[in-house]
Amino acid sequence: MKYDPETGLCIKDENCTGRINWVHSLMKASGQLPKDWELTQCLFGEHLLRQYPGKVVALVESEKTAEICTGLMPRSLWLATGAKSMIKERLLVLKGRKVVAFLDIEELGLEV
């Protein structure tokens, strides 16, 4: 993933060199995966839920935020949604866990 050095935001411009590229997209384009194959995504860090069953889950949108917070505040298990789309299905794995969600500032209706 490529980030803008001034804003810290990921670059999504398709004409930009070095931007994010998905392996499954390349595999579909080369015929290694069926054209109708669909990616099913999970929460970033979801694999850690079994390893840390007693930790409170701290949920953020950005994977980068989850990584930074893991280093700064390791008492919680930091997971990321990665995007707002299909979030409801992704959250089912958190059933029965104590979860604290940290919304992006845009979600709160605030401006920087």
Side-chain angles (χ1 to χ4, degrees), residues 29-42:
S30 69
Q32 293 176 298
L33 286 174
K35 293 287 182 192
D36 62 345
W37 183 87
E38 291 292 326
L39 174 69
T40 303
Q41 290 188 292
C42 62

Side-chain angles (χ1 to χ4, degrees), residues 5-68:
E6 292 183 26
T7 66
L9 300 173
C10 64
I11 298 173
K12 297 179 181 177
D13 180 2
E14 293 190 20
N15 297 317
C16 177
T17 58
R19 69 173 194 75
I20 191 168
N21 202 347
W22 296 94
V23 171
H24 71 275
S25 297
L26 297 173
M27 291 176 74
K28 280 176 82 169
S30 69
Q32 293 176 298
L33 286 174
K35 293 287 182 192
D36 62 345
W37 183 87
E38 291 292 326
L39 174 69
T40 303
Q41 290 188 292
C42 62
L43 295 172
F44 176 81
E46 184 175 314
H47 64 287
L48 299 171
L49 288 170
R50 284 190 194 154
Q51 189 174 348
Y52 301 102
K55 280 192 173 189
V56 172
V57 173
L59 189 64
V60 294
E61 185 177 347
S62 167
E63 296 91 341
K64 179 174 65 172
T65 302
E67 286 289 335
I68 292 168

Side-chain angles (χ1 to χ4, degrees), residues 4 11 15 84 105 111:
D4 183 309
I11 298 173
N15 297 317
K84 297 174 203 164
I105 198 162
E111 293 182 24

